[in-house]
Amino acid sequence: MAMPLRQTIRVATYLFEQKMIKRRDKFPLIVELEPLFACNLKCEGCGKIQHPAGVLKQRMPVAQAVGAVLESGAPMVSIAGGEPLMHPQIDEIVRQLVARKKYVFLCTNAMLLRKKMHLFKPSPYFAFAVHIDGLRERHDESVAKEGVFDEAVEAIKEAKRRGFRVTTNSTFFNTDTPQTVIDVLDFLNDELEVDEMMISPAYAYEKAPDQEHFLGVEQTRELFRKAFAGGNRRRWRLNHSPLFLDFLEGKTDFPCTAWGIPNYSLFGWQRPCYLMSDGYVPTYRQLVEETDWDAYGRGRDPRCDNCMAHCGYEPTAVLATMGSLKESLRAARETAAGSHG
C-alpha cells in the first residue's frame, strides 16, 4: 500500500481512538463528498447525470460541504460528483478542508484540470485523483468521448511537474481481461509514476446507461487473481490495504461496512451507500443510528450480491487489519516499502 507514512499514522491513530477510546462500533474512514452532480462527460457506467436538469444546476455551498465533513469527524475526504472542477468554489472547499488537516482527494476526469490547476496549492494533505479506466482506446470508449485519455495523461504530467500528489482511480468491467488491467496499471505505475492507484470492480449502478458489463463476484476474483500474479500486486503502488486486495482475489471474504465510507451529496447523507439510494438523512449520526445495516450485504439484499466495491469492503479490511497484529505488521511492511514520505 503506497499511502504516505504521515497519513498512515494519522489514520491509524484515528482508528485506535474510535475503537479503543471512544468505543464506537460505527464511524467514517473517508467521506465521499459530492458537491454537485453535473459532469462534462457521459460515462456509460455512471448514473449521476441522469438527475433532472434542475438538480444538475445545483452547487453545494462551501459551508455545507465543509460542515458535513467536520460533523462526520472523518480524517479523509474524497470529493467527487459529477465533475467537482465544475463547482465554482471547489478551490475554497479544498482550501478549508486542508486547513483543518483533512486528507483531501479531488476526483476528476481531468478535462478541466490543466485549466483549473492554478487554483490549488501542493500539500501533503491534498491530491488530485484522476479517473483512468484503461489505456487510450478503452478509456475513451468508457467515457464516450475521444481524446479524454490523452488530456488526462497531459494533466497528470503537468500536476506532477508542479509538485502535486496525483493518484488514480480505475474501474474494471467484464469487458476487461487480466492483460488490460496489467497494461493500464503498468502504465500508471511505471510510465506516469503516479503516487498511488485505486482499483475497483464496477458495481451495477441502477441508473447507469450500460447495465450489461458489470462484474460478478467470481468474475472479479478471477480477474484480479490473474492480474496480481507474477509479483504485480507488490510492485504496483496500490492505495489499498493488503486484506482488501486479498478480498478482490477471493483469498478472504468480508461483510460490507458501508458506514465506513459514507456519501454526502446535495440530498444529504445517502442510505446505505453512494451506489444505492434508499433515502437520505441530514446528519451522519442519523445515517448510522437509523439505517438497518443488517438488511444490506451479499445474501441479504439482491442488489448487493455482486458488489465488491471499495466503498463497502475497504473499511472492513482496514478494521480487520487493525484487529490483527500479524496483518498490522504486514500492512506496515508494505506501507514502508511503497511510501513516498
Side-chain angles (χ1 to χ4, degrees), residues 29 66 223 276 339:
L29 182 65
V66 175
L223 178 68
M276 294 164 59
S339 178

Side-chain angles (χ1 to χ4, degrees), residues 15 19 25-30 240-248 252-262 293 296-298 300 307-324 327-328:
L15 291 173
K19 290 287 288 184
D25 293 326
K26 296 179 177 65
F27 47 85
L29 182 65
I30 180 170
H240 295 289
S241 64
L243 278 178
F244 179 72
L245 299 178
D246 286 350
F247 169 74
L248 289 182
T252 189
D253 202 8
F254 293 120
C256 173
T257 50
W259 43 262
I261 305 185
W293 299 104
Y296 299 100
R298 290 203 300 274
R300 297 174 178 177
C307 180
M308 296 181 72
H310 166 264
C311 65
Y313 294 96
E314 181 75 84
T316 328
V318 169
L319 292 173
T321 299
M322 181 183 173
S324 164
E327 292 299 335
S328 295

Side-chain angles (χ1 to χ4, degrees), residues 131-142 169-185 199-203 210 212-216 218-224 226-227:
H131 199 95
I132 300 286
D133 279 349
L135 296 182
R136 183 180 291 108
E137 183 178 349
R138 293 191 67 80
H139 182 70
D140 286 356
E141 182 181 6
S142 75
N169 180 12
S170 300
T171 304
F172 297 107
F173 296 80
N174 67 10
T175 51
D176 278 290
T177 66
Q179 193 58 50
T180 64
V181 176
I182 291 169
D183 288 346
V184 68
L185 295 183
I199 57 178
S200 185
Y203 172 81
D210 181 359
E212 299 177 4
H213 297 119
F214 295 106
L215 286 160
E218 290 307 318
Q219 288 176 301
T220 296
R221 290 170 175 167
E222 181 179 8
L223 178 68
F224 288 110
K226 291 180 178 178

Side-chain angles (χ1 to χ4, degrees), residues 250-271:
K251 292 180 178 179
T252 189
D253 202 8
F254 293 120
C256 173
T257 50
W259 43 262
I261 305 185
N263 174 273
Y264 185 79
S265 71
L266 293 165
F267 300 142
W269 295 96
Q270 186 168 334
R271 180 184 290 147

Side-chain angles (χ1 to χ4, degrees), residues 1 234 242 325-339:
M1 184 168 66
R234 291 188 62 84
L325 177 60
K326 176 182 176 182
E327 292 299 335
S328 295
L329 292 173
R330 177 188 176 200
R333 284 196 302 271
E334 295 197 16
T335 296
S339 178

Side-chain angles (χ1 to χ4, degrees), residues 41-61:
L41 291 177
K42 298 179 180 180
C43 302
E44 291 295 309
C46 175
K48 297 296 182 181
I49 61 170
Q50 306 303 316
H51 288 291
V55 174
L56 293 179
K57 292 178 181 178
Q58 294 181 32
R59 305 291 184 263
M60 186 182 294

Side-chain angles (χ1 to χ4, degrees), residues 71-326:
E71 184 241 327
S72 77
M76 298 182 288
V77 187
S78 174
I79 305 179
E83 170 52 55
L85 289 178
M86 292 176 65
H87 193 295
Q89 294 174 293
I90 188 62
D91 54 323
E92 182 62 18
I93 293 175
V94 168
R95 189 192 67 77
Q96 291 197 24
L97 290 171
V98 167
R100 291 165 171 82
K101 297 187 176 180
K102 301 293 184 181
Y103 286 93
V104 179
F105 298 85
L106 194 155
C107 302
T108 176
N109 58 38
M111 292 293 288
L112 296 171
L113 183 50
R114 286 198 287 179
K115 180 179 179 181
K116 299 289 186 76
M117 201 178 297
H118 69 281
L119 299 174
F120 304 91
K121 294 180 180 179
S123 166
Y125 293 97
F126 177 68
F128 290 114
V130 180
H131 199 95
I132 300 286
D133 279 349
L135 296 182
R136 183 180 291 108
E137 183 178 349
R138 293 191 67 80
H139 182 70
D140 286 356
E141 182 181 6
S142 75
V143 301
K145 186 174 183 178
E146 291 186 5
V148 176
F149 177 83
D150 289 339
E151 177 59 33
V153 168
E154 291 306 311
I156 289 172
K157 290 179 179 177
E158 178 65 14
K160 293 284 291 180
R161 188 186 70 78
R162 295 194 192 188
F164 288 99
R165 289 186 64 231
V166 180
T167 71
T168 55
N169 180 12
S170 300
T171 304
F172 297 107
F173 296 80
N174 67 10
T175 51
D176 278 290
T177 66
Q179 193 58 50
T180 64
V181 176
I182 291 169
D183 288 346
V184 68
L185 295 183
D186 273 351
F187 175 75
L188 296 172
N189 192 85
D190 302 336
E191 294 189 43
L192 282 188
E193 298 182 335
V194 300
D195 292 281
E196 53 198 27
M197 303 173 291
M198 192 173 84
I199 57 178
S200 185
Y203 172 81
Y205 190 73
E206 63 183 358
K207 292 184 178 180
D210 181 359
Q211 290 289 320
E212 299 177 4
H213 297 119
F214 295 106
L215 286 160
V217 171
E218 290 307 318
Q219 288 176 301
T220 296
R221 290 170 175 167
E222 181 179 8
L223 178 68
F224 288 110
R225 190 161 50 238
K226 291 180 178 178
F228 289 160
N232 285 330
R233 176 174 152 173
R234 291 188 62 84
R235 186 173 61 81
W236 291 328
R237 292 182 296 279
L238 296 173
N239 184 23
H240 295 289
S241 64
L243 278 178
F244 179 72
L245 299 178
D246 286 350
F247 169 74
L248 289 182
E249 287 193 67
K251 292 180 178 179
T252 189
D253 202 8
F254 293 120
C256 173
T257 50
W259 43 262
I261 305 185
N263 174 273
Y264 185 79
S265 71
L266 293 165
F267 300 142
W269 295 96
Q270 186 168 334
R271 180 184 290 147
C273 66
Y274 86 97
L275 296 168
M276 294 164 59
S277 299
D278 285 359
Y280 297 85
V281 291
T283 68
Y284 178 74
R285 179 179 290 247
Q286 285 175 275
L287 177 73
V288 168
E289 295 179 355
E290 298 176 10
T291 302
D292 183 6
W293 299 104
D294 291 337
Y296 299 100
R298 290 203 300 274
R300 297 174 178 177
D301 187 315
R303 295 172 297 176
C304 303
D305 285 349
N306 286 313
C307 180
M308 296 181 72
H310 166 264
C311 65
Y313 294 96
E314 181 75 84
T316 328
V318 169
L319 292 173
T321 299
M322 181 183 173
S324 164
L325 177 60
K326 176 182 176 182

